[in-house]
Amino acid sequence: MPAIVIVGAQWGDEGKGKATDHLGSQVDYVVKFNGGNNAGHTVVIGDQKFALHLLPSGILTPGCTPVIGNGVVVDIDVLFEEIEGLEARGVDTSGLKLSANAHVIADYNRTIDKVTERFLGSRRIGTTGRGIGPTYADKMNRIGIRVQDLFDEKILTAKVEGALELKGQILTKIYNRRAPSVEQTVEELLAHAERLSPYVCDTGLLLGQALDRDEVVLLEAGQATLLDVDHGTYPFVTSSSATSGGACTGSGIPPTRIDQVIAIAKAYTTRVGEGPFPTELHDDSGEFLRKAGWEYGTTTGRPRRCGWVDTVITRYAERVNGVTDFVLTKLDVLTGLEQVPVCVAYDVDGVRHDEMPVNQSDFHHATPIYEYLPGWWEDISDARDFADLPKNAQAYVERVEELSNARISVIGVGPEREQAVVRHALR
Ligand code: IMP
């Protein structure tokens, strides 16, 4: 039976790819259920580094079926770029399954994403510019193009016509841009249709049957809890459901079949794009984290904003997702600090908040209340047992665990697959 969900506990880039990959050999299916090529997983296997944007990281594990679920928005050109890139490096991608109900990112939505950001000026979200938001908006507006539409030119043309009736007006009348023609858009969308068809199926049925056979299904979130369109720091969020609830709607697996939720949290905090970030550091400490943790975006190359760990956020992530296990990544990055601050609560205009403020403007004005724990200098990259970690590193993990309301089962101590301390096996 088991369906396992993996989510990011903070603002993304927590190292989900590595954790998923860690479990990969024990799971039969890895499902991406939300987002699109705005995500970026870096997986290091031996001396090879793989940067994946759209494909589930399970694609690197032989015997594991990678699935792109109905909740994903798919840029077909990027899909084939990634498939070709992996095939060129000897990775077999033929087992990939793609939901017929997933939505497709049309070129006009990439344009709208970029021009909207420019139009918003100081109110911009800092999107990845990949057309994610406008494609989800089309889905909700019921003018989206789905993967299954690509296999009937007549239906596709009618749908593109319908979408462009609105989107064309937005482009020309609001943004003063040229709108693409229906023919041009249809041609672009059809370019890969034939090659796409072997991958396409009813992924909800496929996964339901796999669970009936007692196979293990891993549902991997793109982005993270605080970027979730409902539970994140709205409006500075992505446009999909990145929490464990989204795993159900984005895959067709019901909540009753999920029995484990693993949240990945970095041992500090990072964010890309705009929006509030209470523990953000604008000083040398922030630069230290960025350099030591190599905090530059996998998808956009943007330097990430860095700050100390925030347990108001990890507690919130535990509650929203129903976390059973945390994986704390990049503990090694904190090595060499005299003291390691842990944010335990916020001060908002003189009032202490132990939980995430419901009001976004309070979150914007939140000042972290820190506890300062003693640091460690020893190299921890070879630690494999909790006892191998210096006492101060152990105390740090234990305090973060206590404040986060769920056990920390795995601790990342370096970029390699095997560089991890396992306190409780994830399976
Ligand atoms: P969008 O998903 O491109 O619409 O961008 C919306 C917000 O989510 C922006 O602040 C992005 O920087 C952020 N975002 C999207 N994908 C990721 C990710 O994989 N990691 C971290 N931030 C992301």
Side-chain angles (χ1 to χ4, degrees):
M1 140 98 161
I4 305 165
V5 182
I6 288 201
V7 296
Q10 298 148 328
W11 278 287
D13 310 310
E14 295 92 349
K16 290 187 296 281
K18 188 186 170 199
T20 308
D21 186 54
H22 210 74
L23 276 164
S25 56
Q26 302 166 62
V27 302
D28 302 296
Y29 292 81
V30 174
V31 187
K32 180 178 168 78
F33 61 79
N34 73 305
N37 56 317
N38 48 347
H41 295 313
T42 309
V43 184
V44 181
I45 300 177
D47 57 359
Q48 296 228 57
K49 201 171 174 182
F50 295 88
L52 302 175
H53 300 286
L54 184 55
L55 291 169
S57 50
I59 198 136
L60 299 171
T61 307
C64 176
T65 302
V67 178
I68 297 179
N70 58 277
V72 174
V73 289
V74 183
D75 184 320
I76 297 168
D77 290 340
V78 171
L79 180 68
F80 279 106
E81 265 167 41
E82 288 196 7
I83 288 177
E84 283 160 15
L86 288 178
E87 290 281 345
R89 291 166 78 179
V91 178
D92 177 14
T93 60
S94 60
L96 175 70
K97 303 290 176 204
L98 169 62
S99 168
N101 287 346
H103 281 244
V104 171
I105 302 178
D107 193 44
Y108 47 78
N109 279 332
R110 277 188 293 268
T111 310
I112 289 179
D113 192 359
K114 288 182 197 133
V115 291
T116 306
E117 283 285 279
R118 250 175 272 151
F119 187 79
L120 285 172
S122 62
R123 287 182 298 114
R124 71 184 175 278
I125 308 295
T127 72
T128 57
R130 305 291 199 264
I132 307 295
T135 305
Y136 278 114
D138 285 1
K139 172 175 172 173
M140 293 309 178
N141 277 332
R142 290 156 295 186
I143 55 166
I145 312 290
R146 298 196 293 177
V147 165
Q148 59 182 275
D149 301 329
L150 305 181
F151 304 108
D152 185 324
E153 192 169 341
K154 236 168 110 190
I155 291 178
L156 179 66
T157 306
K159 296 217 167 169
V160 170
E161 252 164 23
L164 274 177
E165 233 167 71
L166 175 69
K167 314 293 289 207
Q169 306 263 10
I170 293 175
L171 277 168
T172 52
K173 297 202 173 135
I174 298 180
Y175 295 122
N176 201 21
R177 301 283 295 231
R178 199 179 59 81
S181 67
V182 173
E183 296 70 34
Q184 184 189 344
T185 305
V186 168
E187 195 185 310
E188 277 167 17
L189 290 173
L190 285 179
H192 298 294
E194 212 169 294
R195 284 171 77 200
L196 199 61
S197 110
Y199 300 115
V200 179
C201 68
D202 179 346
T203 49
L205 178 65
L206 178 85
L207 296 170
Q209 289 174 337
L211 289 170
D212 289 343
R213 290 192 300 270
D214 267 348
E215 291 179 332
V216 181
V217 174
L218 184 66
L219 300 136
E220 167 186 270
Q223 293 76 48
T225 303
L226 291 186
L227 288 173
D228 182 281
V229 69
D230 284 277
H231 304 292
T233 48
Y234 192 91
F236 300 101
V237 292
T238 192
S239 302
S240 66
S241 300
T243 44
S244 58
C248 297
T249 50
S251 70
I253 291 180
T256 43
R257 301 204 87 158
I258 292 172
D259 50 12
Q260 192 178 8
V261 179
I262 301 167
I264 319 301
K266 235 179 247 188
Y268 47 99
T269 313
T270 63
R271 166 160 214 179
V272 289
E274 308 299 321
F277 178 178
T279 63
E280 182 172 14
L281 295 161
H282 298 283
D283 56 8
D284 289 350
S285 303
E287 203 45 41
F288 167 83
L289 292 174
R290 185 153 38 247
K291 291 250 161 69
W294 193 250
E295 295 298 348
Y296 298 90
T298 315
T299 299
T300 58
R302 290 185 282 185
R304 295 180 186 139
R305 300 158 63 191
C306 297
W308 301 124
V309 80
D310 183 340
T311 60
V312 181
I313 287 175
T314 51
R315 263 199 306 282
Y316 177 68
E318 186 282 321
R319 173 162 59 85
V320 170
N321 293 292
V323 173
T324 55
D325 301 84
F326 275 107
V327 173
L328 190 71
T329 57
K330 293 187 139 182
L331 184 65
D332 53 305
V333 172
L334 298 180
T335 300
L337 294 165
E338 185 111 18
Q339 285 189 318
V340 199
V342 175
C343 171
V344 296
Y346 302 139
D347 179 306
V348 183
D349 300 326
V351 179
R352 182 182 167 110
H353 287 245
D354 287 292
E355 299 300 334
M356 225 19 209
V358 66
N359 204 326
Q360 269 299 295
S361 74
D362 286 345
F363 190 64
H364 271 264
H365 297 120
T367 310
I369 299 173
Y370 286 117
E371 256 178 44
Y372 294 87
L373 303 192
W376 61 92
W377 281 266
E378 299 88 335
D379 178 2
I380 60 170
S381 56
D382 289 330
R384 296 295 176 265
D385 287 318
F386 195 58
D388 298 339
L389 293 173
K391 284 280 167 286
N392 288 349
Q394 291 185 18
Y396 180 77
V397 172
E398 281 166 348
R399 186 65 183 133
V400 172
E401 177 175 66
E402 185 179 18
L403 291 162
S404 305
N405 291 340
R407 66 186 191 179
I408 294 176
S409 296
V410 177
I411 303 155
V413 292
E416 300 290 332
R417 197 183 232 187
E418 62 279 1
Q419 285 184 297
V421 169
V422 180
R423 296 169 85 200
H424 309 281
L426 291 177
R427 276 202 44 69

PDB file of all heavy atoms in Angstrom, residues 11-13 38-40 125-128 132 223 227 237-238 272-273 302, ligand 1:
ATOM      1  N   TRP A  11      11.085  27.548   1.832  1.00  0.00           N
ATOM      2  CA  TRP A  11      10.738  28.205   0.564  1.00  0.00           C
ATOM      3  C   TRP A  11      11.362  27.505  -0.641  1.00  0.00           C
ATOM      4  O   TRP A  11      11.657  28.135  -1.659  1.00  0.00           O
ATOM      5  CB  TRP A  11      11.187  29.676   0.583  1.00  0.00           C
ATOM      6  CG  TRP A  11      10.247  30.603   1.277  1.00  0.00           C
ATOM      7  CD1 TRP A  11       9.037  31.031   0.827  1.00  0.00           C
ATOM      8  CD2 TRP A  11      10.451  31.252   2.531  1.00  0.00           C
ATOM      9  NE1 TRP A  11       8.471  31.903   1.724  1.00  0.00           N
ATOM     10  CE2 TRP A  11       9.314  32.058   2.772  1.00  0.00           C
ATOM     11  CE3 TRP A  11      11.488  31.233   3.478  1.00  0.00           C
ATOM     12  CZ2 TRP A  11       9.190  32.836   3.921  1.00  0.00           C
ATOM     13  CZ3 TRP A  11      11.351  32.008   4.622  1.00  0.00           C
ATOM     14  CH2 TRP A  11      10.206  32.793   4.831  1.00  0.00           C
ATOM     15  N   GLY A  12      11.620  26.230  -0.528  1.00  0.00           N
ATOM     16  CA  GLY A  12      12.162  25.506  -1.670  1.00  0.00           C
ATOM     17  C   GLY A  12      13.670  25.364  -1.581  1.00  0.00           C
ATOM     18  O   GLY A  12      14.327  25.946  -0.713  1.00  0.00           O
ATOM     19  N   ASP A  13      14.198  24.524  -2.477  1.00  0.00           N
ATOM     20  CA  ASP A  13      15.639  24.287  -2.564  1.00  0.00           C
ATOM     21  C   ASP A  13      16.203  23.671  -1.282  1.00  0.00           C
ATOM     22  O   ASP A  13      17.353  23.896  -0.931  1.00  0.00           O
ATOM     23  CB  ASP A  13      16.396  25.599  -2.884  1.00  0.00           C
ATOM     24  CG  ASP A  13      15.772  26.302  -4.069  1.00  0.00           C
ATOM     25  OD1 ASP A  13      15.566  25.649  -5.095  1.00  0.00           O
ATOM     26  OD2 ASP A  13      15.469  27.509  -3.961  1.00  0.00           O
ATOM     27  N   ASN A  38       9.714  25.259 -13.143  1.00  0.00           N
ATOM     28  CA  ASN A  38      10.186  26.283 -12.198  1.00  0.00           C
ATOM     29  C   ASN A  38      11.005  25.622 -11.092  1.00  0.00           C
ATOM     30  O   ASN A  38      11.755  26.269 -10.386  1.00  0.00           O
ATOM     31  CB  ASN A  38       9.017  27.065 -11.576  1.00  0.00           C
ATOM     32  CG  ASN A  38       7.907  26.181 -11.048  1.00  0.00           C
ATOM     33  OD1 ASN A  38       7.859  25.001 -11.336  1.00  0.00           O
ATOM     34  ND2 ASN A  38       6.999  26.759 -10.288  1.00  0.00           N
ATOM     35  N   ALA A  39      10.851  24.322 -10.930  1.00  0.00           N
ATOM     36  CA  ALA A  39      11.572  23.602  -9.879  1.00  0.00           C
ATOM     37  C   ALA A  39      13.007  23.340 -10.333  1.00  0.00           C
ATOM     38  O   ALA A  39      13.316  23.440 -11.508  1.00  0.00           O
ATOM     39  CB  ALA A  39      10.882  22.285  -9.594  1.00  0.00           C
ATOM     40  N   GLY A  40      13.822  22.995  -9.406  1.00  0.00           N
ATOM     41  CA  GLY A  40      15.179  22.602  -9.767  1.00  0.00           C
ATOM     42  C   GLY A  40      15.734  21.661  -8.726  1.00  0.00           C
ATOM     43  O   GLY A  40      15.839  22.010  -7.565  1.00  0.00           O
ATOM     44  N   ILE A 125       6.519  39.465  -8.259  1.00  0.00           N
ATOM     45  CA  ILE A 125       6.639  38.275  -7.409  1.00  0.00           C
ATOM     46  C   ILE A 125       8.068  37.730  -7.477  1.00  0.00           C
ATOM     47  O   ILE A 125       8.525  37.059  -6.573  1.00  0.00           O
ATOM     48  CB  ILE A 125       5.659  37.168  -7.897  1.00  0.00           C
ATOM     49  CG1 ILE A 125       4.222  37.708  -8.044  1.00  0.00           C
ATOM     50  CG2 ILE A 125       5.687  35.933  -7.017  1.00  0.00           C
ATOM     51  CD1 ILE A 125       3.558  38.149  -6.772  1.00  0.00           C
ATOM     52  N   GLY A 126       8.764  38.030  -8.563  1.00  0.00           N
ATOM     53  CA  GLY A 126      10.080  37.408  -8.763  1.00  0.00           C
ATOM     54  C   GLY A 126       9.917  35.997  -9.293  1.00  0.00           C
ATOM     55  O   GLY A 126      10.586  35.070  -8.855  1.00  0.00           O
ATOM     56  N   THR A 127       8.986  35.812 -10.235  1.00  0.00           N
ATOM     57  CA  THR A 127       8.732  34.455 -10.748  1.00  0.00           C
ATOM     58  C   THR A 127       9.931  33.960 -11.561  1.00  0.00           C
ATOM     59  O   THR A 127      10.830  34.737 -11.889  1.00  0.00           O
ATOM     60  CB  THR A 127       7.500  34.398 -11.682  1.00  0.00           C
ATOM     61  OG1 THR A 127       7.842  35.028 -12.923  1.00  0.00           O
ATOM     62  CG2 THR A 127       6.288  35.075 -11.075  1.00  0.00           C
ATOM     63  N   THR A 128       9.898  32.688 -11.894  1.00  0.00           N
ATOM     64  CA  THR A 128      10.979  32.117 -12.703  1.00  0.00           C
ATOM     65  C   THR A 128      10.786  32.448 -14.180  1.00  0.00           C
ATOM     66  O   THR A 128      11.636  32.115 -14.999  1.00  0.00           O
ATOM     67  CB  THR A 128      11.030  30.590 -12.521  1.00  0.00           C
ATOM     68  OG1 THR A 128       9.743  30.063 -12.875  1.00  0.00           O
ATOM     69  CG2 THR A 128      11.355  30.210 -11.085  1.00  0.00           C
ATOM     70  N   ILE A 132       4.484  29.567 -15.498  1.00  0.00           N
ATOM     71  CA  ILE A 132       3.787  28.678 -14.553  1.00  0.00           C
ATOM     72  C   ILE A 132       2.441  29.299 -14.101  1.00  0.00           C
ATOM     73  O   ILE A 132       1.382  28.679 -14.247  1.00  0.00           O
ATOM     74  CB  ILE A 132       4.670  28.411 -13.305  1.00  0.00           C
ATOM     75  CG1 ILE A 132       6.063  27.896 -13.710  1.00  0.00           C
ATOM     76  CG2 ILE A 132       3.969  27.499 -12.309  1.00  0.00           C
ATOM     77  CD1 ILE A 132       6.125  26.578 -14.387  1.00  0.00           C
ATOM     78  N   GLN A 223       8.647  22.985  -5.377  1.00  0.00           N
ATOM     79  CA  GLN A 223       8.574  24.147  -4.486  1.00  0.00           C
ATOM     80  C   GLN A 223       8.436  23.692  -3.023  1.00  0.00           C
ATOM     81  O   GLN A 223       8.965  22.656  -2.679  1.00  0.00           O
ATOM     82  CB  GLN A 223       7.463  25.134  -4.886  1.00  0.00           C
ATOM     83  CG  GLN A 223       7.742  25.821  -6.216  1.00  0.00           C
ATOM     84  CD  GLN A 223       7.488  24.906  -7.396  1.00  0.00           C
ATOM     85  OE1 GLN A 223       6.461  24.259  -7.487  1.00  0.00           O
ATOM     86  NE2 GLN A 223       8.423  24.845  -8.307  1.00  0.00           N
ATOM     87  N   LEU A 227       5.672  28.352  -0.307  1.00  0.00           N
ATOM     88  CA  LEU A 227       5.382  28.808  -1.676  1.00  0.00           C
ATOM     89  C   LEU A 227       4.044  28.254  -2.157  1.00  0.00           C
ATOM     90  O   LEU A 227       3.628  28.486  -3.282  1.00  0.00           O
ATOM     91  CB  LEU A 227       6.499  28.376  -2.637  1.00  0.00           C
ATOM     92  CG  LEU A 227       7.840  29.110  -2.494  1.00  0.00           C
ATOM     93  CD1 LEU A 227       8.897  28.460  -3.380  1.00  0.00           C
ATOM     94  CD2 LEU A 227       7.707  30.587  -2.828  1.00  0.00           C
ATOM     95  N   VAL A 237       4.181  33.583  -3.767  1.00  0.00           N
ATOM     96  CA  VAL A 237       4.085  32.123  -3.771  1.00  0.00           C
ATOM     97  C   VAL A 237       4.105  31.648  -5.222  1.00  0.00           C
ATOM     98  O   VAL A 237       4.028  32.463  -6.143  1.00  0.00           O
ATOM     99  CB  VAL A 237       2.758  31.649  -3.117  1.00  0.00           C
ATOM    100  CG1 VAL A 237       2.753  31.958  -1.626  1.00  0.00           C
ATOM    101  CG2 VAL A 237       1.545  32.296  -3.793  1.00  0.00           C
ATOM    102  N   THR A 238       4.170  30.356  -5.402  1.00  0.00           N
ATOM    103  CA  THR A 238       3.966  29.829  -6.745  1.00  0.00           C
ATOM    104  C   THR A 238       2.463  29.609  -6.924  1.00  0.00           C
ATOM    105  O   THR A 238       1.676  29.901  -6.017  1.00  0.00           O
ATOM    106  CB  THR A 238       4.812  28.561  -6.979  1.00  0.00           C
ATOM    107  OG1 THR A 238       4.786  28.256  -8.377  1.00  0.00           O
ATOM    108  CG2 THR A 238       4.319  27.369  -6.167  1.00  0.00           C
ATOM    109  N   VAL A 272      14.301  32.361  -2.817  1.00  0.00           N
ATOM    110  CA  VAL A 272      14.575  33.123  -4.034  1.00  0.00           C
ATOM    111  C   VAL A 272      13.320  33.922  -4.384  1.00  0.00           C
ATOM    112  O   VAL A 272      12.227  33.574  -3.964  1.00  0.00           O
ATOM    113  CB  VAL A 272      14.998  32.248  -5.251  1.00  0.00           C
ATOM    114  CG1 VAL A 272      16.380  31.686  -5.068  1.00  0.00           C
ATOM    115  CG2 VAL A 272      14.005  31.140  -5.509  1.00  0.00           C
ATOM    116  N   GLY A 273      13.495  34.976  -5.133  1.00  0.00           N
ATOM    117  CA  GLY A 273      12.350  35.810  -5.478  1.00  0.00           C
ATOM    118  C   GLY A 273      12.031  36.762  -4.334  1.00  0.00           C
ATOM    119  O   GLY A 273      12.762  36.859  -3.346  1.00  0.00           O
ATOM    120  N   ARG A 302      19.997  32.463  -9.907  1.00  0.00           N
ATOM    121  CA  ARG A 302      19.952  33.643  -9.032  1.00  0.00           C
ATOM    122  C   ARG A 302      20.564  33.321  -7.667  1.00  0.00           C
ATOM    123  O   ARG A 302      20.339  32.232  -7.132  1.00  0.00           O
ATOM    124  CB  ARG A 302      18.484  34.045  -8.782  1.00  0.00           C
ATOM    125  CG  ARG A 302      17.799  34.610  -9.988  1.00  0.00           C
ATOM    126  CD  ARG A 302      16.404  35.089  -9.621  1.00  0.00           C
ATOM    127  NE  ARG A 302      15.450  33.984  -9.507  1.00  0.00           N
ATOM    128  CZ  ARG A 302      14.150  34.156  -9.286  1.00  0.00           C
ATOM    129  NH1 ARG A 302      13.651  35.349  -9.108  1.00  0.00           N
ATOM    130  NH2 ARG A 302      13.334  33.126  -9.225  1.00  0.00           N
TER     131      ARG A 302
HETATM  132  P1  IMP B   1       6.806  30.839 -10.284  1.00  0.00           P
HETATM  133  O1  IMP B   1       6.668  29.488  -9.682  1.00  0.00           O
HETATM  134  O2  IMP B   1       7.762  30.887 -11.443  1.00  0.00           O
HETATM  135  O3  IMP B   1       5.487  31.472 -10.621  1.00  0.00           O
HETATM  136  O4  IMP B   1       7.463  31.804  -9.172  1.00  0.00           O
HETATM  137  C1  IMP B   1       6.753  32.159  -8.000  1.00  0.00           C
HETATM  138  C2  IMP B   1       7.697  32.197  -6.797  1.00  0.00           C
HETATM  139  O5  IMP B   1       8.101  30.888  -6.456  1.00  0.00           O
HETATM  140  C3  IMP B   1       8.975  32.995  -7.036  1.00  0.00           C
HETATM  141  O6  IMP B   1       9.340  33.665  -5.847  1.00  0.00           O
HETATM  142  C4  IMP B   1       9.985  31.903  -7.363  1.00  0.00           C
HETATM  143  O7  IMP B   1      11.298  32.323  -7.100  1.00  0.00           O
HETATM  144  C5  IMP B   1       9.531  30.798  -6.422  1.00  0.00           C
HETATM  145  N1  IMP B   1       9.901  29.468  -6.888  1.00  0.00           N
HETATM  146  C6  IMP B   1       9.372  28.762  -7.889  1.00  0.00           C
HETATM  147  N2  IMP B   1       9.955  27.562  -7.993  1.00  0.00           N
HETATM  148  C7  IMP B   1      10.875  27.486  -7.026  1.00  0.00           C
HETATM  149  C8  IMP B   1      11.788  26.463  -6.603  1.00  0.00           C
HETATM  150  O8  IMP B   1      11.862  25.349  -7.136  1.00  0.00           O
HETATM  151  N3  IMP B   1      12.573  26.787  -5.537  1.00  0.00           N
HETATM  152  C9  IMP B   1      12.494  27.976  -4.900  1.00  0.00           C
HETATM  153  N4  IMP B   1      11.650  28.942  -5.255  1.00  0.00           N
HETATM  154  C10 IMP B   1      10.851  28.706  -6.299  1.00  0.00           C
END
